[in-house]
Amino acid sequence: MAATIAPPVPVPAAPALALKPGTAWSDAWNRCLAVAPEAFQGDRVLNLWAGTWHREGRALPATTPVDGTPIAGAPRLDGPTAARAVRAALDEHRAWRHTPLDERKARVTAALDALTEHRDLLALLLVWEIGKPWRLATADVDRAIDGVRWYVENIDRMLVDRAPLPGPVSNIASWNYPMSVLVHAMLVQALAGNAVIAKTPTDGGVACLTLACALAVREGLPLTLVSGSGGELSEALVRSPEIGCVSFVGGRDTGARIATAVADLGKRHILEQEGLNTWGIWNHTDWDALTAVIPKLFDYGKQRCTAYPRFVVQRSSFDAFLAAYLPAVRSLRVGHPLAVADPSDPLPDLDFGPLINAAKAKELADQVAEAVDRGAVPLYRGDASSSGGHFLPGQDTSAYLHPVTLLGPPPSSPLHHAEPFGPVDTIVLVDTEAELLAAMNASNGALVATLSTDDPATYQRLAPQIRAFKTGHGKPRSRGDREELFGGFGASWSGAFVGGDLLVRAVTDGPEGERPPGNFPGHHLMP
């Protein structure tokens, strides 16, 4: 008798995803119009100077990296208008620097309370404008608010025998942390007695920054927020004699030009620049700990100045490293940050969403293809199915790049010596400690590094030879704030160091002849 074969049991199709109700860009924009009508008009944001919101500026079209939806673009000013804004900021500075500290603390606290009230809207803007998953977007807002509250509590002792700078502080920052880096710095600078100028990042974050500044200006804080190309506005925001300090966070090319300008002018400066942060593996056996940390290193698609895109691995441990690394990378979840299967579902806890734009995703994909053509070995290439497939039906995914891991990037590839600023890991194998150190120091200075080794004595011996400002023993290091010092080595930093008291010292004057600790032309001075 022939055996009866049971028919296959149909696997139910996964429910189609949809935007969580109330999270569409139109929802966020309408809330901005309601909360801060002085700063948002029609379909555009305004520029802020002299305590007033201005319609001047050429608004360029923009789309979100999340799914290609049109969003508000930055209203770009020309150089002469930016110079007017700087002169107005100097007038605000001259009045604000004489405002009693208790009043400054009260106004900053009121601004923080307003930011707290609208925390979810600020985070939703970050999701749409720069593609941060909800967990990371809310963390960015919370870190800004909590960090500045710490400074309010401690500012009295920090300002003993110190005074505001002669002119306002000018801020030019990258797009990836609008709240916890840029707004945080602006509010601390104002708390210390300075008027503050900021340029909105070219690639995203203008609506979030506009809302944050609108809430702060209502409390009487002397903030200026302008948009425009760096080349056109640099004369005003960097070289103007009215500027008391320049604070820059971004790439090395732009940073080098600003460093030259401020050095020629003898101007106070804080210049944080990219570097190839590396993770070394040498005589290491705690592979479970490495597996646990790998997913965290991919937060926000490694679009962070303290991301670790390079692993330098002892050749004899390469098989064990891969056994620990690959399962962790395969577990990563990538997709639309606001897509849910059911309207009542919470927003997804993704490791990352899109890159900042489709051009960046293509650039990295092209670099990966070119590196492989020149001899790099592809060890892992993620795709939508391996990363969870968390996308809307028919969604534009041109800004998404799934995790990639390459072994041995060729020296001719940018992936060999530069920070990719995306979810592309490269691995270099070494046989000696000298090779380990040379590979970990490939970019002439970095912000952070980590060395995983079982022997504390080995760590103590090798760590001082790694050219990174912070080096961890088997654990990642971060930018840090509050009590923690932050700076860099080589081409990754120039000017004053920051963190805790030093962030305040960097934007205030102390005893005659004092120079803030940091990297300045002609010498290196540690605190």
Side-chain angles (χ1 to χ4, degrees):
M1 183 177 180
T4 300
I5 300 176
V9 178
V11 178
L17 300 178
L19 277 181
K20 186 173 178 66
T23 67
W25 169 255
S26 58
D27 296 320
W29 184 255
N30 287 332
R31 290 167 65 185
C32 289
L33 292 172
V35 171
E38 71 273 27
F40 298 86
Q41 292 185 4
D43 61 352
R44 64 180 290 161
V45 297
L46 306 186
N47 287 290
L48 167 67
W49 70 85
T52 302
W53 294 92
H54 300 262
R55 196 173 173 83
E56 286 96 329
R58 182 169 58 96
L60 299 181
T63 59
T64 171
V66 171
D67 60 12
T69 297
I71 62 174
R76 293 187 159 204
L77 297 179
D78 56 24
T81 307
R84 286 168 46 207
V86 170
R87 289 192 293 272
L90 179 61
D91 291 338
E92 288 186 303
H93 181 83
R94 287 170 171 164
W96 179 254
R97 70 193 308 270
H98 297 296
T99 301
L101 178 56
D102 283 346
E103 183 176 344
R104 299 201 306 261
K105 289 164 60 177
R107 293 190 183 188
V108 170
T109 298
L112 294 172
D113 291 342
L115 294 176
T116 301
E117 180 183 354
H118 298 286
R119 174 253 204 183
D120 285 358
L121 176 55
L122 291 163
L124 184 58
L125 293 171
L126 290 181
V127 175
W128 280 113
E129 293 192 285
I130 62 174
K132 283 200 169 184
W134 182 251
R135 170 177 59 87
L136 300 177
T138 53
D140 192 12
V141 179
D142 292 344
R143 183 176 171 189
I145 295 170
D146 295 343
V148 179
R149 288 197 193 279
W150 181 86
Y151 279 91
V152 172
E153 294 168 359
N154 290 274
I155 193 67
D156 292 81
R157 65 170 179 79
M158 295 180 182
L159 288 179
V160 172
D161 297 327
R162 307 198 67 79
L165 295 175
V169 182
S170 178
N171 295 267
I172 303 170
S174 58
W175 44 265
N176 52 345
Y177 285 90
M179 292 296 298
S180 63
V181 172
L182 184 51
V183 170
H184 177 277
M186 293 170 68
L187 295 182
V188 174
Q189 292 160 7
L191 181 64
N194 303 288
V196 179
I197 306 168
K199 186 182 91 66
T200 62
T202 302
D203 289 315
V206 61
C208 177
L209 287 168
T210 299
L211 178 60
C213 286
L215 297 173
V217 169
R218 288 178 179 177
E219 306 303 335
L221 297 186
L223 306 185
T224 296
L225 184 69
V226 296
S227 296
S229 71
E232 192 163 12
L233 301 193
S234 63
E235 187 68 26
L237 301 183
V238 175
R239 294 181 174 273
S240 291
E242 294 93 342
I243 299 296
C245 176
V246 176
S247 177
F248 170 82
V249 179
R252 288 192 176 186
D253 291 343
T254 302
R257 292 192 292 270
I258 292 177
T260 300
V262 294
D264 291 344
L265 297 169
K267 196 182 295 290
R268 183 80 62 88
H269 57 283
I270 309 159
L271 306 181
E272 176 190 333
Q273 295 148 116
E274 64 193 293
L276 184 61
N277 306 315
T278 59
W279 192 300
I281 307 287
W282 191 259
N283 292 339
H284 175 73
T285 59
D286 189 0
W287 301 112
D288 288 345
L290 184 65
T291 299
V293 80
I294 291 296
K296 299 175 185 177
L297 302 183
F298 277 88
D299 271 357
Y300 197 32
K302 300 206 172 189
Q303 297 177 106
R304 299 178 290 120
C305 65
T306 53
Y308 287 82
R310 168 65 51 79
F311 289 88
V312 182
V313 182
Q314 189 175 15
R315 191 183 306 274
S316 60
S317 298
F318 183 48
D319 56 341
F321 171 82
L322 281 185
Y325 173 89
L326 290 176
V329 177
R330 293 189 182 110
S331 74
L332 296 172
R333 296 190 67 213
V334 182
H336 194 302
L338 300 171
V340 295
D342 185 275
S344 63
D345 288 346
L347 289 171
D349 186 13
L350 303 174
D351 294 288
F352 60 96
L355 300 192
I356 186 59
N357 51 48
K360 179 62 179 180
K362 183 180 185 303
E363 173 192 297
L364 277 182
D366 289 347
Q367 288 180 3
V368 168
E370 183 181 49
V372 172
D373 286 345
R374 295 181 181 180
V377 178
L379 297 176
Y380 180 77
R381 290 180 180 177
D383 56 28
S385 60
S386 64
S387 300
H390 197 87
F391 296 100
L392 300 177
Q395 178 192 327
D396 179 351
T397 59
S398 58
Y400 291 77
L401 182 70
H402 297 274
V404 178
T405 307
L406 301 179
L407 173 65
S412 59
S413 170
L415 297 175
H416 179 79
H417 56 78
E419 180 183 25
F421 227 63
V424 178
D425 276 352
T426 57
I427 299 172
V428 173
L429 301 183
V430 295
D431 297 296
T432 68
E433 289 184 356
E435 290 177 322
L436 174 81
L437 292 170
M440 293 189 72
N441 293 330
S443 69
N444 182 29
L447 300 175
V448 296
T450 292
L451 178 61
S452 290
T453 180
D454 293 346
D455 181 24
T458 299
Y459 175 81
Q460 294 297 330
R461 178 166 47 82
L462 296 180
Q465 302 177 66
I466 299 171
R467 289 182 58 77
F469 193 78
K470 295 181 180 180
T471 301
H473 186 184
K475 297 180 180 179
R477 299 305 309 272
S478 66
R479 192 178 194 275
D481 51 21
R482 305 187 185 186
E483 296 96 340
E484 191 172 4
L485 175 66
F486 191 58
F489 276 120
S492 68
W493 194 281
S494 179
F497 293 148
V498 297
D501 290 32
L502 290 190
L503 177 53
V504 173
R505 289 176 60 185
V507 295
T508 55
D509 282 330
E512 185 176 356
E514 176 200 69
R515 171 171 270 182
N519 299 324
F520 291 92
H523 79 289
H524 173 77
L525 175 65
M526 290 290 291

